[in-house]
Amino acid sequence: NVNRVFKFLAAAAGALLLIGAHFWKLSAVPGLHYDEAWAYNFAWRIARDQGFWPLSAMSPYTSPWAHFWAAFWLLAFGPSLAVFRTSQIFLALAGLGALCLALPRHVRIFFPWICFLFPGLLLNHRFAVELNGLHVFCFGLFCWALREKSFALACISAIFATTAHILFYAIPLGLLAATCLGEVR
């Protein structure tokens, strides 16, 4: 079917552009941000210092999930800014993939293009912190789990994200509020 082949090629081209944009000049643009530098050093300390298994990250109310993930990458591929950022890009791309799968089938062809054309994309993955890596992954997984009616997986992804950074509370609490308001009307 020509229509099916065209849709596949269009989605594949969008996905390749999206992936390419994530890795374009990864180590060069922009300069290292303070929070990103702190996260890199913290992940490297987890990787390097034997027995260092912290329970909190930058503040007492943030968990180091993203830092453990980055530490694994730094151990496996060596310490560098590109490796650190790639660890978070992998999470973000996996999250975008899960979010794409959560969308209705007829919309999925446009999703990589929409993400690719989003102006903040070129900066997002060059600021490798839990908000741009782990949260994207957890959000995509959360949405996909809700679509698949897997309440347990949705809760697990929300717990990992909210304990990593307080900002993720907006997602499940917003959904809860919208659901409750929908029930009231």
Side-chain angles (χ1 to χ4, degrees), residues 30 58 107 165 168:
M58 191 176 270
V107 177
H165 198 285
F168 199 85

Side-chain angles (χ1 to χ4, degrees), residues 19-153:
I19 291 167
H22 271 82
F23 288 98
W24 181 68
K25 292 190 175 186
L26 185 61
S27 295
V29 189
L32 198 63
H33 183 276
Y34 171 80
D35 286 351
E36 184 182 36
W38 184 92
Y40 175 93
N41 287 330
F42 192 66
W44 180 237
R45 183 172 175 210
I46 291 170
R48 184 193 66 221
D49 293 356
Q50 197 165 2
F52 182 64
W53 294 93
L55 298 176
S56 62
M58 191 176 270
S59 64
Y61 60 86
T62 57
S63 297
W65 314 127
H67 309 290
F68 282 118
W69 175 255
F72 166 77
W73 279 71
L74 294 172
L75 274 175
F77 302 106
S80 76
L81 181 59
V83 169
F84 178 71
R85 286 179 173 173
T86 299
S87 74
Q88 300 308 301
I89 287 173
F90 186 89
L91 288 173
L93 289 174
L96 289 175
L99 185 57
C100 185
L101 291 175
L103 295 171
R105 191 175 292 269
H106 67 280
V107 177
R108 292 179 191 168
I109 186 174
F110 303 107
F111 185 72
W113 289 96
I114 291 168
C115 292
F116 172 70
L117 295 172
F118 180 65
L121 175 69
L122 290 176
L123 295 177
N124 185 57
H125 51 281
R126 287 171 180 80
F127 181 48
V129 294
E130 68 279 351
L131 299 174
N132 296 341
L134 181 68
H135 274 191
V136 177
F137 174 73
C138 289
F139 179 69
L141 190 61
F142 180 78
C143 292
W144 179 79
L146 289 177
R147 180 160 201 256
E148 296 296 313
K149 296 178 177 41
S150 176
F151 184 69
L153 184 58

